[in-house]
Amino acid sequence: GENVEQHPSTLSVQEGDSAVIKCTYSDSASNYFPWYKQELGKRPQLIIDIRSNVGEKKDQRIAVTLNKTAKHFSLHITETQPEDSAVYFCAASTGTYKYIFGTGTRLKVLA
Amino acid sequence: DTGVSQDPRHKITKRGQNVTFRCDPISEHNRLYWYRQTLGQGPEFLTYFQNEAQLEKSRLLSDRFSAERPKGSFSTLEIQRTEQGDSAMYLCASSPHTGGKGGTEAFFGQGTRLTVV
């Protein structure tokens, strides 16, 4: 069935360092890959997304890469700041409707 | 606030009782989703509406769960005969139709936290 695996489950980095979170999806028909950030007690909010016809997308300190052959996609955060601390979820969608989410990565940025 | 709104924010109920949650999506969004999130996990898909039509229901959803979107606007999720395992955050999300161009951002509500005691 459809599945998205996400690693690591927790990640601690020093302020200013980079953080990388990796996801693997199973459904080869997936063509849309959003990343959501969820702070404690708040709703998930989109931070970046990528479509299957693109290999990389960047928005300031955040970038996402996609390897369709390997069914891998990754989130890269550079120059991390304490406010980046949150839980990050990757997701995959066939583009029609539902999103299959990963299990989340708790990122802690240490000042 | 013109985002997705959910009501109530919190619900405590006794086992065996019925509960109903409401979701008001962003007004121009024709797609509406319900997800369930437990502590430390990602949101799990429950069901999806395009306008008033319920197009998919997850196998995770037992017969005790039912969702409606009667006029293609707000939606309700009802859980009958609640069990302790139903305790979770129930998230609603909406997204606009993309005309076959593929997926697009789903905007989430704040969620309804259900506690079954």
Side-chain angles (χ1 to χ4, degrees), chain B residues 48-117:
Chain B
Y48 156 73
F49 290 86
Q50 182 160 308
N51 299 313
E52 66 275 9
Q54 186 175 19
L55 297 187
E56 185 173 344
K57 187 175 175 179
S58 169
R59 285 170 290 178
L60 294 173
L61 227 54
S62 76
D63 291 342
R64 297 184 296 106
F65 288 71
S66 63
E68 294 183 343
R69 194 183 182 196
K71 298 182 179 179
S73 56
F74 73 92
S75 175
T76 58
L77 177 68
E78 181 183 15
I79 308 174
Q80 296 181 328
R81 305 181 303 281
T82 52
E83 302 173 355
Q84 287 188 322
D86 297 332
S87 296
M89 175 74 82
Y90 290 84
L91 291 165
C92 176
S94 70
S95 67
H97 185 51
T98 57
K101 295 179 182 177
T104 189
E105 178 180 0
F107 293 81
F108 282 86
Q110 296 271 35
T112 294
R113 182 168 295 284
L114 174 65
T115 302
V116 182
V117 297

Side-chain angles (χ1 to χ4, degrees), chain A residues 36 38 43 51 97-99, chain B residues 35 37 56 103-104 106 108:
Chain A
Y36 282 82
Q38 188 174 29
R43 72 187 80 191
R51 300 186 186 278
Y97 44 90
K98 68 185 180 187
Y99 305 91
Chain B
Y35 288 86
Q37 187 176 27
E56 185 173 344
T104 189
F108 282 86

Side-chain angles (χ1 to χ4, degrees), chain A residues 36-80:
Chain A
Y36 282 82
K37 175 182 180 182
Q38 188 174 29
E39 297 179 34
L40 189 63
K42 296 190 176 180
R43 72 187 80 191
Q45 291 194 301
L46 183 80
I47 55 170
I48 195 167
D49 56 12
I50 191 168
R51 300 186 186 278
S52 57
N53 58 348
V54 175
E56 184 174 0
K57 182 177 178 180
K58 189 173 181 180
D59 182 4
Q60 299 183 354
R61 298 187 296 110
I62 296 173
V64 57
T65 58
L66 171 65
N67 182 330
K68 284 179 59 180
T69 303
K71 298 186 203 171
H72 288 171
F73 58 114
S74 300
L75 177 71
H76 305 252
I77 306 174
T78 58
E79 301 172 17
T80 53

Side-chain angles (χ1 to χ4, degrees), chain A residues 1 5 7 18 23 25 30 32 38-39 46-47 49 54 58 66 72 76 83 88 90 95 98 103 105-106:
Chain A
E5 294 187 358
H7 300 281
S18 296
C23 289
Y25 60 97
S30 299
Y32 175 68
Q38 188 174 29
E39 297 179 34
L46 183 80
I47 55 170
D49 56 12
V54 175
K58 189 173 181 180
L66 171 65
H72 288 171
H76 305 252
E83 52 265 37
Y88 291 81
C90 63
K98 68 185 180 187
T103 50
T105 296
R106 182 173 299 279

